[in-house]
Amino acid sequence: MRQRTIAKSVEIVGIGLHKGVPVKMRLEPLDSNMGIIFYRSDEGITIPLAIENVVDTKMATVIGKDGVVVSTIEHLLSALYAYGIDNIRVVLDNDEVPVLDGSSSGYCMLIDEAGIKELEASKKAIKIKKEVEVTTSEGKRVALKPSNHIIYDFSIDFDHPVIGEQKFHFDYSIDEYKESISKARTFGFLHEVQYLRSIGLALGGSMENAIVLDNTKVLNPEGLRYDDEFVRHKILDAVGDMALLGYTLVGEYDAHAGSHYLNHLLTKKLYENEENYEIIDLEEADEESKVFQTAYARA
């Protein structure tokens, strides 16, 4: 199995979630072994996607270099990672990735428009060998576990009548991602949105790009896309955050009430000990290669 990029450049203009200003984004193909690279055309700064370049995880996953940042990268990364894109340049003229409708389905459509191109170099993956876990005193937990498959399990428990307890099991394939995960939107509570706007954040947030809830109900006139859209979006975020590993994951991600912050700690902890993982070549690893060939097969 070989590395992947996109077949041609594609471009969109959208609104940034926090500043609320238009952002032009262009996705460009890259050659083998170049990875995922963000380029701020307005600043002339290149920021490779790497764990050491993560500078903030409070409201979104943010990477930066030399004081220049790119924010809210997780939805785009989720789609790129789901499609197995190894090499791509993301060119932006502002400091946020466009939020689109608050999900990653628009990015999936953009990748479909660009097409997938296989490169000459063999594709590598990171296989989990030993369980790695990060927990908090409040009972929040994220973990990576050994598996010959690609699995995401997530549970949440919100004291809200619309959300409550939700669980979702995602057995990875591109088609299943597009159908069950990519359409799930980000969500927030009205009082949180009001506070964020008071401090100059979420200025681009609206019911067109997020699920908004008050104390008892969903305020969006169209309602939910799935009854459990909230936990599905948490998986969407987790897939994007795992792109920071730098390789396609072979293993199981398991979380309860996970977050961008905990996901960042998890990826750092995994790399602290080489006994936790193995970098495998999918041209040589027959069993794992078959898993990806099945997952990448389009219906």
Side-chain angles (χ1 to χ4, degrees):
M1 178 165 289
R2 296 177 179 178
Q3 292 182 26
R4 294 178 150 203
T5 187
I6 53 175
K8 66 177 183 179
S9 296
V10 284
E11 188 175 292
I12 59 168
V13 176
I15 297 296
L17 176 63
H18 288 301
K19 283 192 173 181
V21 298
V23 183
K24 183 165 70 175
M25 182 183 79
R26 186 170 68 253
L27 304 181
E28 299 176 346
L30 283 183
D31 289 333
S32 302
N33 301 315
M34 297 192 72
I36 297 175
I37 296 171
F38 288 81
Y39 177 67
R40 283 282 303 275
S41 60
D42 57 322
E43 297 282 355
I45 295 291
T46 294
I47 311 172
L49 183 69
I51 292 172
E52 59 269 24
N53 287 336
V54 174
V55 296
D56 193 4
T57 54
K58 288 189 290 292
M59 297 302 300
T61 298
V62 184
I63 56 173
K65 181 182 176 185
D66 300 334
V68 176
V69 302
V70 176
S71 178
T72 325
I73 61 176
E74 58 272 11
H75 298 172
L76 171 62
L77 288 180
S78 185
L80 294 175
Y81 203 52
Y83 275 71
I85 302 295
D86 304 286
N87 309 284
I88 196 168
R89 188 165 90 139
V90 181
V91 181
L92 299 156
D93 67 355
N94 214 310
D95 64 0
E96 288 186 271
V97 172
V99 67
L100 303 185
D101 71 345
S103 74
S104 66
S105 61
Y107 299 120
C108 291
M109 288 187 280
L110 202 61
I111 297 168
D112 286 337
E113 179 187 343
I116 303 293
K117 178 183 178 182
E118 287 202 343
L119 301 167
E120 289 299 316
S122 61
K123 186 179 182 71
K124 292 180 171 59
I126 183 166
K127 185 171 184 177
I128 307 304
K129 295 177 66 179
K130 295 178 67 175
E131 181 172 345
V132 177
E133 184 178 68
V134 175
T135 61
T136 72
S137 58
E138 297 89 2
K140 298 178 180 180
R141 172 185 53 80
V142 291
L144 288 169
K145 303 176 181 180
S147 174
N148 287 330
H149 298 277
I150 310 158
I151 296 167
Y152 287 79
D153 279 312
F154 212 115
S155 64
I156 57 174
D157 188 359
F158 280 78
D159 184 18
H160 191 281
V162 177
I163 307 177
E165 293 184 34
Q166 296 186 2
K167 297 180 181 179
F168 198 84
H169 172 85
F170 171 50
D171 197 345
Y172 165 75
S173 74
I174 292 179
D175 281 341
E176 186 63 23
Y177 176 85
K178 287 182 67 175
E179 182 61 33
S180 300
I181 303 298
S182 76
K183 301 172 188 176
R185 296 161 294 174
T186 192
F187 61 95
F189 299 95
L190 185 60
H191 67 275
E192 293 176 342
V193 174
Q194 291 168 338
Y195 167 72
L196 289 171
R197 287 183 172 174
S198 75
I199 60 173
L201 296 174
L203 299 178
S206 71
M207 284 185 281
E208 293 182 356
N209 54 41
I211 304 167
V212 181
L213 305 101
D214 64 12
N215 292 332
T216 61
K217 63 184 180 299
V218 171
L219 298 179
N220 302 60
E222 76 279 8
L224 298 174
R225 294 175 177 175
Y226 315 91
D227 290 340
D228 56 357
E229 188 169 356
F230 308 96
V231 71
R232 293 181 192 230
H233 185 80
K234 288 291 189 179
I235 289 180
L236 186 157
D237 279 345
V239 173
D241 286 341
M242 290 305 104
L244 270 296
L245 291 170
Y247 301 94
T248 301
L249 174 68
V250 179
E252 179 180 353
Y253 171 93
D254 182 53
H256 175 70
S259 64
H260 296 305
Y261 173 64
L262 292 180
N263 289 337
H264 178 52
L265 295 183
L266 181 64
T267 55
K268 289 174 64 177
K269 187 172 182 178
L270 178 74
Y271 278 127
E272 286 175 1
N273 189 336
E274 291 184 359
E275 294 182 357
N276 293 334
Y277 64 92
E278 176 186 8
I279 305 300
I280 59 175
D281 189 317
L282 292 176
E283 289 282 286
E284 302 170 358
D286 290 340
E287 184 175 358
E288 291 83 359
S289 183
K290 289 177 182 176
V291 170
F292 282 102
Q293 287 170 357
T294 301
Y296 289 166
R298 305 305 302 276

